[in-house]
Amino acid sequence: MKPNVKIGSFLMAVVMIFSVLIVSGCTPMSLNKEWSYKSGDKELAIGVYIYSLNTAYQKAKSFAEKLDDYDETKDSWLEMEITDDDGKKEVASKWIKDQAKLMCLSYLVLDEQIEKEKIDISKDTIASADEQAETYWNVGQYADYGYVMPMKNDLEPYGISLESFRYCSTEYSVKYQALFDKLYKEGGSKEVSNEEITKYFNDNYTDYSYFSVNLYTSSTDEAGQSKNVAMSDKEAKKVTDEIDGYVKDVNGGKSYDDVLKAYMDANKIESDPSTSNIENLENSSLGDEVKEAIKKLDNKKAAAVKVGSGENAVYYFVYKRNIKDAAKDYLADENNSANVLSSMKGEEFADYIEELTKSLDYEENSSVINQYEPKMFFVPVEPTTSAEESSDSSAKE
């Protein structure tokens, strides 16, 4: 079974899946320094376990929300059977505890392997990771966007300290990346050649461009509310016929750049309205309809695809280039090459770390761990009265 809580990251940025957790009304717990798991002379603070339990709880909740009888006002879902990303079925509370343990053992394995491989992570790198953790702790992830949401407000009430948070998040990410690089880059025991990276890139990445046109008009009323109105069939056909014409031009031999310029000139558009990218479409944030349309294209061909309907309809022009033409320049960038390697071997590396946990010599402080149950993170969502119910109630009065 692959780990269902992804504990590693190839990015320095840390995504905290419980950043919006509401903990008001929770009784603070002692920030004790008791250990939870240990291997050799390395002990994990109980806060590390609580952090892992919380992360697993949030993941399990996302599975539970798919159940027909899920009720956000009750914690009964914790005793329901959930299905994880691997298709495994298990009672939620047990799944959460199993995953929290797996995460803790993975922390210990990583520390063990860093020492075994004699990996020296620079003080500056660690300092940068620690600074990032402290920023998240004190002001949150979104302070740069004007939203101050300190992580400590969410974590401290459960007994998670800054030290535990830092160890599990940014420091873990740095160590995870360092071990990955040691194994898979030049000279490593699992070294991947440039030829292998290039082949993977050519087989799995796509070079594409697209631009879109709305099949509706937008207006703002006196109250400042935006409203979309679907175009008439005649108006919409005029738009789609134009885009279909550009598709025909590309597929007839005209270059994408020339067709894009023709579109911009015809519509008096000064700034390039298109989006271009090189990525693995399996990991793309593109909508499914657009993604599938691009996948079906031959190189240097175009297509049009409608997404949505009525006042939300959008018409896309999509174009696909030959990925092999981009390989040399794209992979010459060290960051791009590293990202492709991560995409290529990331799952394998995660499996490798999990496999090592099975042979790890460790101790579990059960008497302490058993004091913490998944239900401690449950915050009921109070049911709200719908507008319809309020209306009916007023009518009866």
Side-chain angles (χ1 to χ4, degrees), residues 2-18:
K2 298 183 179 66
N4 299 297
V5 177
K6 298 301 181 183
I7 47 184
S9 171
F10 295 104
L11 304 173
M12 288 294 291
V14 178
V15 179
M16 309 307 304
I17 63 174
F18 48 84

Side-chain angles (χ1 to χ4, degrees), residues 18-28 150 152-158 376-382:
F18 48 84
S19 60
V20 296
L21 184 67
I22 300 173
V23 297
S24 57
C26 173
T27 302
K152 65 180 180 181
N153 292 351
D154 293 337
L155 302 178
E156 277 189 332
Y158 291 118
M376 66 187 276
F377 304 113
F378 176 73
V379 178
V381 176
E382 297 299 329

Side-chain angles (χ1 to χ4, degrees), residues 268-397:
K268 297 181 173 57
I269 300 173
E270 296 183 1
S271 299
D272 186 349
S274 66
T275 296
S276 298
N277 203 359
I278 295 175
E279 65 177 341
N280 186 335
L281 289 180
E282 296 305 318
N283 304 320
S284 175
S285 60
L286 286 173
D288 290 340
E289 297 97 329
V290 175
K291 204 181 316 187
E292 289 305 312
I294 295 173
K295 286 181 180 179
K296 292 177 181 178
L297 285 174
D298 292 329
N299 292 329
K300 298 184 179 181
K301 296 296 183 181
V305 56
K306 181 181 177 181
V307 177
S309 60
E311 68 274 13
N312 296 308
V314 180
Y315 208 57
Y316 285 83
F317 174 100
V318 297
Y319 175 74
K320 182 178 180 180
R321 298 178 183 82
N322 188 336
I323 191 64
K324 293 182 179 180
D325 294 340
K328 183 178 179 180
D329 289 341
Y330 186 86
L331 295 176
D333 183 286
E334 187 176 343
N335 288 332
N336 289 341
S337 180
N339 287 336
V340 173
L341 178 59
S342 295
S343 176
M344 180 180 181
K345 293 296 183 178
E347 192 71 20
E348 176 184 296
F349 184 57
D351 289 343
Y352 171 71
I353 294 296
E354 182 183 1
E355 193 63 29
L356 289 175
T357 66
K358 297 176 182 178
S359 57
L360 180 69
D361 183 14
Y362 70 91
E363 291 182 52
E364 178 182 274
N365 195 353
S366 301
S367 62
V368 174
I369 287 174
N370 291 338
Q371 296 176 31
Y372 301 90
E373 294 292 332
K375 68 188 302 183
M376 66 187 276
F377 304 113
F378 176 73
V379 178
V381 176
E382 297 299 329
T384 57
T385 303
S386 68
E388 182 178 348
E389 290 174 336
S390 296
S391 177
D392 288 345
S393 177
S394 297
K396 291 177 181 178
E397 292 178 358

